[in-house]
């Protein structure tokens, strides 16, 4: 008999193929219900999880959830698989892999070596049979360290993206947000703007403004304007100071085509970024954003559950050695992650899966105003991800993005997480903060300094 089956309570549940098995084993979320792929009951979900736990990891190398010939992401996953790296766990089932990950053999060194041998589907599968505490315990073992003008992802560090968005790209408004964020120790991952316009000339002006701030105050960080990769390429051709090349990505070829991209185009953007030679400590220069539900919203999910599609996006990211990758976990809306419980679970899954694949994961801990979630849910996810060793989070004035109209984490939230969990900014950025008196290191923890540094007093007078 083809497919998979498992008996629970005297009833035998059958699953036609790997795609259905993964979907039915997924913890409940609204997007899978919308797609018609979710388990019909908790009992069916448990049966699928038990059948999945018994599946050998090797099976994922013989059955693709999206056909090889139909999808370039599938081809990337299978063609780049490292059999030698996979060898230490090749004999395990999904359930056995979970046990191994939770045990002492899975340490920082062994997990780094294993990453090229894992496929997204393997990692998604094991996450589906793990508790919240399992996802946290394993993820905190993994460190994925990247460098451009500073060092992100070291143990005991938590970086932030300073997100000074403005609904009209007003320079004074952006400058005020940048100043506010820096004074709370934000911005070591990137100072990154979502532009209100995608005109190349407008993008170039924003890039010049951010570069001028970084250069004038000798801030050990990098900037990014989160525009389409083709616009970044055009800006580079015009001589604009492009640090990081940004793009939203997804886990299927069709979903990426809906974003107007392909693997070849991402390669072109990567090479254009490298040609700038703007990094001082390293050349990790790509910045990718993802989110559960993007393939479904594009009608390009092929019947694959949204979390497995999401993890496939990390294979795309991994190919281009990014500085930053973050899941914008609650941004797409309650149609895909209905409430705080589903958003929290998804954020921890994404972080766990990305880290196992060797991707430098961050998270935009967020929700839209029509979701069944609130800032208490975000506080919980922030604290859990901090404990799990996330590379970076967002920092936005007052948690409220006035340009994109959604709720996320604030400058104050980052300060809270660093203080409570004993985390510090990236080392080069931390030294800069301490030198200017913005944050002071006391007993291994950073505290806000007193007063406004002299260089910023002059800036404030001009805003």
């Amino acid at each position: 008999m083809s497919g998979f089956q498992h008996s629970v309570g005297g009833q035998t549940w059958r699953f036609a193929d790997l795609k259905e098995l993964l979907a039915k084993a997924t913890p409940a979320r609204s997007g899978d219900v919308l797609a018609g792929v979710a388990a019909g009951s908790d009992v069916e979900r448990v049966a699928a999880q038990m059948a999945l736990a018994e599946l050998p990891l090797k099976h994922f190398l013989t059955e693709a959830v999206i056909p090889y010939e139909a999808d370039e992401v599938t081809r990337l996953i299978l063609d780049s698989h490292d059999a030698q790296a996979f060898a230490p766990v090749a004999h395990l089932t999904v359930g056995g892999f979970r046990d191994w990950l939770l045990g002492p053999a899975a340490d920082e060194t062994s997990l780094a070596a294993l990453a090229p041998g894992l496929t997204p589907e393997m990692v998604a599968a094991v996450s589906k049979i793990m508790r919240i505490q399992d996802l946290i315990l394993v993820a905190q073992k993994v460190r994925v360290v990247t460098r451009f003008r500073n060092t992100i992802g070291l143990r005991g560090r938590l970086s932030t993206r300073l997100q000074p968005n403005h609904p009209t790209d007003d320079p004074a408004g952006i400058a005020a947000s940048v100043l506010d964020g820096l004074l709370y120790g934000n911005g070591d991952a990137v100072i990154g703007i979502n532009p209100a316009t995608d005109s190349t000339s407008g993008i170039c002006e924003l890039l010049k403004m951010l570069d001028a701030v970084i250069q004038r105050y000798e801030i050990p960080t990098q900037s990014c304007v989160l525009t389409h990769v083709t616009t970044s390429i055009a800006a580079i051709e015009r001589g604009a100071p492009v640090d990081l090349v940004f793009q939203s990505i997804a886990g299927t070829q069709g979903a990426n085509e809906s974003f107007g991209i392909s693997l070849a185009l991402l390669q072109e953007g990567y090479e254009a970024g490298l040609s700038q030679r703007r990094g001082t400590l390293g050349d990790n220069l790509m910045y990718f954003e993802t989110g559960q539900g993007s393939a479904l919203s594009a009608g390009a999910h092929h019947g694959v559950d949204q979390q497995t599609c999401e993890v496939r996006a990390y294979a795309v990211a991994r190919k281009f050695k990014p500085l930053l990758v973050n899941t914008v976990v609650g941004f797409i809306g309650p149609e895909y992650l209905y409430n705080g419980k589903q958003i929290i679970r998804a954020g921890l899954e994404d972080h766990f899966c990305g880290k196992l694949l060797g991707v430098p994961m961050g998270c935009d801990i967020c929700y839209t105003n029509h979701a069944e979630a609130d800032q208490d849910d975000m506080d919980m996810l922030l604290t859990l991800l901090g404990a799990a060793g996330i590379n970076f989070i967002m920092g936005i004035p007052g948690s409220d993005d006035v340009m994109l109209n959604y709720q996320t984490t604030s400058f104050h939230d980052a300060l809270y997480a660093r203080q409570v969990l004993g985390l510090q900014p990236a080392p080069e950025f931390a030294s800069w903060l301490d030198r200017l008196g913005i944050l002071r290191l006391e007993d291994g923890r950073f505290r806000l300094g007193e007063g406004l540094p002299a260089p910023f007093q002059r800036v404030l007078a001009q805003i």
Side-chain angles (χ1 to χ4, degrees), residues 146-269:
T146 56
R147 295 176 175 88
F148 190 75
R149 292 202 189 99
N150 56 24
T151 307
I152 299 171
L154 295 169
R155 189 169 298 278
R157 306 280 175 170
L158 173 65
S159 296
T160 64
R161 169 189 164 191
L162 201 172
Q163 187 168 315
N165 294 346
H166 192 279
T168 63
D169 289 341
D170 177 65
I174 291 171
S177 293
V178 170
L179 173 61
D180 190 19
L182 290 172
L183 290 174
Y184 279 94
N186 283 251
D188 50 339
V190 63
I191 303 175
I193 301 173
N194 295 93
T197 176
D198 253 352
S199 74
T200 303
S201 59
I203 299 302
C204 290
E205 290 306 309
L206 290 174
L207 287 165
K208 292 174 184 176
M209 181 184 70
L210 292 178
D211 185 61
V213 171
I214 290 172
Q215 298 302 324
R216 178 178 179 182
Y217 300 106
E218 300 179 327
I219 308 172
T221 190
Q222 38 282 326
S223 69
C224 184
V225 176
L226 282 68
T227 187
H228 195 269
V229 62
T230 54
T231 309
S232 292
I233 293 170
I236 290 171
E237 291 172 346
R238 293 190 184 188
V242 176
D243 289 344
L244 306 187
V245 177
F246 170 81
Q247 184 56 51
S248 294
I249 58 173
T252 73
Q253 179 176 333
N256 283 325
E257 287 173 349
S258 77
F259 293 149
I261 62 167
S262 64
L263 296 180
L265 181 58
L266 292 177
Q267 182 69 33
E268 184 181 346

Side-chain angles (χ1 to χ4, degrees), residues 423-459:
L423 302 172
Q424 298 180 21
E428 302 84 359
F429 193 79
S431 296
W432 179 81
L433 292 170
D434 186 61
R435 187 170 68 251
L436 267 66
I438 297 173
L439 294 183
R440 295 295 189 186
L441 184 62
E442 299 175 4
D443 299 325
R445 295 172 186 261
F446 271 92
R447 308 291 184 188
L448 278 175
E450 296 182 4
L452 188 66
F456 293 142
Q457 291 179 14
R458 294 188 292 272
V459 176

